[in-house]
């Protein structure tokens, strides 16, 4: 097996100094066209591949960006990640993905790992309060942008959606179609996004004197957790059932829908109107197309990269908080056959 060609081999082949080869690779404008052509031919002849990892480690950083999300199994985060990867690729960077799984210990481990990998910056959808950890990163020259969370500290940029308004839109829609016994499905409430959506729903319900809102704390944010809530609901007597349900995300809503429809005892939306949050692709193809609150996932991913780039390139960083407005999408689960897809 032939050994891998080194930069010294390229220099010998081209009849130039090692420093000249380095300049061709890193600062081509410093080298004459004739010399550059000779070096590039030597690189091609020898099949030389630059050791980018070593070069980046010597420089103290890499062309990678760390991204930590709460749940990569949630299509919402999958879409955000894909958009961030596309935006980063246009700038010649790559995204390293970490899934905290709503676990603070895993989140902390990923922060340490990405720091060891000398990422040029970090994007994070935090589980809890990581301000102290992120301050340390910033002091070490690693800027951070919060994703899907409004920054409480003005020292960080962030990109998020107004979840309070989203919760309000969802509950207000249920109220506007005549539902008065509402239920909110979501949890744990320690997740900022879940708490904000609940607060918005409570704000809408307070506008109607005859409306109530029951909180059904789910064990997670998955379809399985939603099915668990749905299974408990179908065991109730009809007089104790909600007539409108707002789920903190679409996965929960799809799980609730599965339970209600499989039991064949409750109809959607005739008996219970159901709305989710995120407007993932599966919402349209559900057995009853699901109404939802749409978040601009692609814009969130792109904007996160843009904010991080601003911090990397600016000498005097002006931290920005970008907040998108969510959108109500009405389908059959709340509007029956008259809803449009």
């Amino acid at each position: 097996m032939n050994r891998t060609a080194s930069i010294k081999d390229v220099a010998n082949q081209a009849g130039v100094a090692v420093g000249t080869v380095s300049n061709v690779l890193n600062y081509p404008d410093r080298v004459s066209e004739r010399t550059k052509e000779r070096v590039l031919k030597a690189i091609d002849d020898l099949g030389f591949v630059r050791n980018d990892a070593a070069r980046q480690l010597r420089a103290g950083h890499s062309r990678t960006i760390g991204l930590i999300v709460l749940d990569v199994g949630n299509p919402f985060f999958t879409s955000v990640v894909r958009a961030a990867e596309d935006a980063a690729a246009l700038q010649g960077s790559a995204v390293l993905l970490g899934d905290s799984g709503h676990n603070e210990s895993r989140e902390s481990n990923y922060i340490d790992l990405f720091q060891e990998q000398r990422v040029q910056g970090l994007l994070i959808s935090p589980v809890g309060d990581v301000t102290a950890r992120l301050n340390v990163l910033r002091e070490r020259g690693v800027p951070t942008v919060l994703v899907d969370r409004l920054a409480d500290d003005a020292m960080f940029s962030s990109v998020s959606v107004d979840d309070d308004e989203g919760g309000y839109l969802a509950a207000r829609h249920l109220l506007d179609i005549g539902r008065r016994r509402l239920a909110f499905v979501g949890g744990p409430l320690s997740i900022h996004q879940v708490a904000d959506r609940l607060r918005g729903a409570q704000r809408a319900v307070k506008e109607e004197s005859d409306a109530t809102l029951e909180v059904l704390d789910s064990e997670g944010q998955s379809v399985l957790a939603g099915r668990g809530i749905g299974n408990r609901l179908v065991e109730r007597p009809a007089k104790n059932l909600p007539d409108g349900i707002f789920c903190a995300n679409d996965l929960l809503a799809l799980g609730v829908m599965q339970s209600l429809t499989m039991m064949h005892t409750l109809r959607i939306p005739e008996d219970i109107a159901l709305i989710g949050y995120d407007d993932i692709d599966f919402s349209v193809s559900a057995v009853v197309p699901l109404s939802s609150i749409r978040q601009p996932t692609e814009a969130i991913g792109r904007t996160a990269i843009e904010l991080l780039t601003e911090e990397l390139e600016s000498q005097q960083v002006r931290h920005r908080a970008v907040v998108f407005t969510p959108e109500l999408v009405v389908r059959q689960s709340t509007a029956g056959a008259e809803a449009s897809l």
Side-chain angles (χ1 to χ4, degrees):
M1 180 181 294
N2 295 330
R3 70 180 180 86
T4 302
S6 68
I7 192 170
K8 187 175 181 180
D9 294 328
V10 173
N12 290 336
Q13 177 88 351
V16 299
V18 170
T20 301
V21 178
S22 179
N23 282 338
V24 170
L25 294 172
N26 299 294
Y27 310 102
D29 56 315
R30 298 181 181 178
V31 184
S32 69
E33 286 299 320
R34 184 176 179 181
T35 300
K36 189 189 307 181
E37 289 176 5
R38 200 160 70 242
V39 170
L40 291 176
K41 184 177 185 305
I43 287 173
D44 187 55
D45 290 344
L46 294 173
F48 170 76
V49 178
R50 66 190 296 172
N51 189 343
D52 227 22
R55 179 183 64 83
Q56 292 162 3
L57 289 176
R58 286 195 297 272
H61 59 82
S62 70
R63 289 187 297 177
T64 56
I65 296 168
L67 172 54
I68 304 175
V69 298
L70 292 173
D71 180 10
V72 75
N74 186 330
F76 164 77
F77 284 111
T78 304
S79 297
V80 171
V81 170
R82 184 178 298 116
E85 287 179 328
D86 290 344
L90 292 175
Q91 301 177 8
S93 297
V95 172
L96 299 179
L97 178 62
D99 179 5
S100 70
H102 297 281
N103 183 292
E104 292 188 34
S105 178
R106 283 184 62 175
E107 177 182 72
S108 180
N109 289 337
Y110 273 119
I111 292 174
D112 290 339
L113 175 62
F114 289 154
Q115 186 175 343
E116 292 171 4
Q117 294 295 317
R118 292 177 170 82
V119 295
Q120 60 181 331
L122 177 67
L123 309 177
I124 181 171
S125 182
V127 177
D129 183 5
V130 291
T131 302
R133 295 293 309 277
L134 301 185
N135 278 331
V136 172
L137 286 183
R138 186 177 62 236
E139 291 170 0
R140 295 177 178 175
V142 182
T144 300
V145 173
L146 303 189
V147 179
D148 197 34
R149 171 84 74 83
L150 180 65
D152 297 324
D153 189 331
M155 296 303 294
F156 296 102
S157 290
S158 63
V159 54
S160 62
V161 174
D162 188 344
D163 285 313
D164 184 292
E165 179 64 15
Y168 176 85
L169 288 174
R172 187 65 257 173
H173 173 59
L174 292 174
L175 295 167
D176 287 344
I177 62 174
R179 308 306 163 114
R180 286 297 180 268
R181 301 186 310 278
L182 306 190
F184 173 83
V185 176
L189 292 178
S190 58
I191 299 175
H192 283 240
Q193 295 90 329
V194 176
D196 288 347
R197 293 165 195 178
L198 172 58
R199 183 167 57 249
Q202 291 170 330
R203 179 160 57 91
V205 170
K206 286 180 181 179
E207 296 176 347
E208 304 292 338
S209 60
D210 60 342
T212 60
L213 179 65
E214 176 185 7
V215 178
L216 302 175
D217 191 4
S218 65
E219 296 179 355
Q221 300 288 301
S222 65
V223 172
L224 187 60
R227 288 183 64 175
I229 295 291
N231 290 340
R232 293 198 291 273
L233 283 174
V234 297
E235 295 174 355
R236 294 185 181 184
K239 64 179 181 179
N240 293 334
L241 284 170
D243 59 9
I245 298 176
F246 166 38
C247 293
N249 73 15
D250 285 347
L251 296 180
L252 284 169
L254 292 172
V256 170
M257 182 184 294
Q258 287 178 7
S259 292
L260 300 187
T261 56
M262 285 193 300
M263 296 294 184
H264 300 292
T265 56
L266 294 167
R267 300 167 301 165
I268 297 174
E270 290 84 357
D271 299 317
I272 298 179
L274 179 64
I275 185 170
Y277 204 105
D278 291 338
D279 193 34
I280 62 177
D281 291 343
F282 299 126
S283 300
V284 180
S285 56
V287 60
V288 180
L290 180 67
S291 294
S292 188
I293 302 298
R294 177 177 295 163
Q295 301 197 76
T297 52
E298 293 186 5
I300 292 171
R302 288 196 310 270
T303 303
I305 295 295
E306 291 172 4
L307 291 173
L308 187 63
T309 301
E310 287 179 8
E311 302 216 3
L312 287 167
E313 295 181 348
S314 176
Q315 295 297 321
Q316 294 183 334
V317 178
R318 173 177 168 267
H319 300 288
R320 293 199 293 136
V322 178
V323 182
F324 290 103
T325 301
E327 175 188 355
L328 171 66
V329 179
V330 178
R331 298 192 180 95
Q332 274 86 340
S333 68
T334 61
E338 294 179 0
S340 62
L341 299 181

